[in-house]
Amino acid sequence: MLDADGSETSPLIHVRARPHGSLSWGAARDAARATGAEGGSPTTEVPLPAALGAVLGADLISAIDVPALDTAAMDGYAVAGEGPWAVLGRSLAGRHAPVARLRRGEALEIATGAVVPDGTLAVLPYEEAEAADAVVYGACVPGRHIRRRGETVPAGASAARRGAAVTPALLGLAAGLGLDVLPVLRPVVRVLITGDEIVHSGRPRPGAVRDAIGPVLPGLVAWAGGRCEEPRALPDGRAALTTALADLPGDHVAAVGGSSSAGPADHLRAALGELGARIVVDGVACRPGHPQLLAVLPSGAVVVGLPGNPGAALAAALTLLVPVLCGRTGRRDPAHGGRRARLSAATRPHPVDTRLLPVRVHGDLAVEIEARGSADLRGAAAADALAVLPPEAEAAAAEGTVELVAVPM
């Protein structure tokens, strides 16, 4: 294109107008977490296997010393005084020792985890000992290879804090404390998928589309410490959506797929207005996923409106739904670990929007994966993170690196 004087002009970039109230991507996430923290999630006691992935609803206080008594930390010999030592017998974990006390010059062959007798100076490992004719020889350091009573967790100590994610290691810790149940927080998410054109199984008929949002949400919600109810399909129309939201318990979160834009078949805003909801976020300056919405019903229930396109819905769920759930339980957002990387290609930032780019991360390098618009999940399915490319003005100050947002694998 040429100006009137014949010089070449720069290509124009079309900047889509934003509706009043759109927030930056970072501000939207902060607002979502704060909104989640306003409400509560009831603490329930569940068996250990059922607690995995939830969040501790109370500090985990040990009622016992772990270990309960002084025990051997190595296979070898419990010895008293200086050597050589006369071996009196053998002690195995979980069995009574043949002697309760060792005197100077005596030893007891002992297995890891077995209680050491009173008077034990140290445990002499097999590999540092020589034994012949019921006598053992070697050199040991006083107190070595003995796990003292309460050394791991003393009685009355906090073993884990409220808000900690229940990981496999934490389950093992709880079992070691003698617990069979854990108090947990696990926010419940009711998934509402709207649209007469949506089908939920099989190949879609001409003019229909298969629901790709419903299958995304259970794993993503579990990753954030929550639990999804079975997704519920709703027909187009305000009445059905209003009824479904009115029935939402105050401690629940609703994820409404396909109803957060402003088209003629999108009735979420009208339903929320009828119910007297408070709108917290109405649009986020990000691509994909701009038409997302966050509101609070008078009951305290939180509603997250997700775009109809599945790629945009995933971005919106990471922006609003995951922070809401983490705010409810006080846990760290699993998507944001503070990692940064350099983009492998000189991808151009948008003038006003934050771009969320699917990438594969190799060391400190993020390699962008092609994604064809907000309806495409292929890039996200192959990605191990989303690169957060801020708008032009902020990108210039980022010194060549971008934030990485983790995605559930």
Side-chain angles (χ1 to χ4, degrees), residues 105-404:
E106 293 179 339
L108 186 69
E109 190 175 6
I110 196 165
T112 300
V115 176
V116 299
D118 291 343
T120 298
L121 174 70
V123 171
L124 180 65
Y126 284 133
E127 53 266 34
E128 298 174 13
E130 293 184 12
D133 299 324
V135 176
V136 66
Y137 304 84
C140 62
V141 177
R144 189 79 184 274
H145 302 308
I146 297 175
R147 291 179 61 221
R148 298 299 180 184
R149 176 177 178 173
E151 176 183 299
T152 302
V153 184
S158 174
R161 293 294 185 188
R162 183 185 188 278
V166 181
T167 62
L170 193 143
L171 288 179
L173 171 62
L177 299 178
L179 299 175
D180 296 316
V181 298
L182 280 180
V184 299
L185 303 170
R186 199 189 295 269
V188 179
V189 177
R190 181 167 296 176
V191 179
L192 306 174
I193 304 297
T194 66
D196 291 336
E197 78 283 11
I198 303 296
V199 298
H200 300 273
S201 62
R203 297 180 180 180
R205 65 187 182 277
V209 62
R210 178 72 183 266
D211 170 30
I213 299 175
V216 166
L217 292 178
L220 184 139
V221 167
W223 182 63
R227 176 179 66 83
C228 265
E229 293 182 344
E230 187 70 23
R232 179 179 170 189
L234 296 179
D236 278 331
R238 188 174 76 184
L241 184 55
T242 303
T243 299
L245 293 176
D247 291 340
L248 192 69
D251 60 352
H252 278 42
V253 176
V256 184
S259 286
S260 64
S261 68
D266 298 307
H267 305 283
L268 181 57
R269 285 170 182 78
L272 291 171
E274 184 175 332
L275 295 171
R278 169 171 58 94
I279 303 297
V280 179
V281 176
D282 191 356
V284 179
C286 69
R287 293 188 177 202
H290 166 256
Q292 50 186 293
L293 185 144
L294 176 65
V296 182
L297 294 171
S299 65
V302 176
V303 180
V304 177
L306 305 176
N309 282 323
L314 174 61
L318 289 168
T319 303
L320 295 182
L321 180 58
V322 170
V324 163
L325 297 176
C326 292
R328 282 256 163 136
T329 60
R331 70 170 285 174
R332 180 185 65 82
D333 188 332
H336 299 279
R339 289 194 305 162
R340 299 189 69 86
R342 294 181 297 107
L343 281 174
S344 63
T347 303
R348 189 171 185 175
H350 189 271
V352 296
D353 289 343
T354 294
R355 298 186 64 189
L356 303 176
L357 310 172
V359 294
R360 295 289 295 182
V361 182
H362 305 275
D364 65 349
L365 190 67
V367 180
E368 187 176 347
I369 301 171
E370 183 181 11
R372 295 183 178 275
S374 59
D376 190 3
L377 279 174
R378 287 177 300 173
D384 52 23
L386 298 180
V388 181
L389 185 60
E392 270 181 346
E394 297 174 39
E399 299 182 351
T401 66
V402 292
E403 179 186 356
L404 297 178

Side-chain angles (χ1 to χ4, degrees), residues 25-111:
W25 183 74
R29 287 191 298 114
D30 292 342
R33 186 176 182 98
T35 300
E38 292 173 3
S41 183
T43 300
T44 57
E45 289 199 340
V46 299
L48 295 188
L52 183 63
V55 173
L56 274 183
D59 288 354
L60 193 62
I61 306 298
S62 179
I64 61 172
D65 289 318
V66 180
L69 297 168
D70 294 352
T71 59
M74 296 282 285
D75 294 334
Y77 299 90
V79 299
E82 297 180 354
W85 302 274
V87 180
L88 304 183
R90 174 181 294 175
S91 179
L92 300 176
R95 298 186 184 180
H96 291 293
V99 294
R101 172 177 288 275
L102 292 176
R103 294 176 297 178
R104 183 178 297 274
E106 293 179 339
L108 186 69
E109 190 175 6
I110 196 165

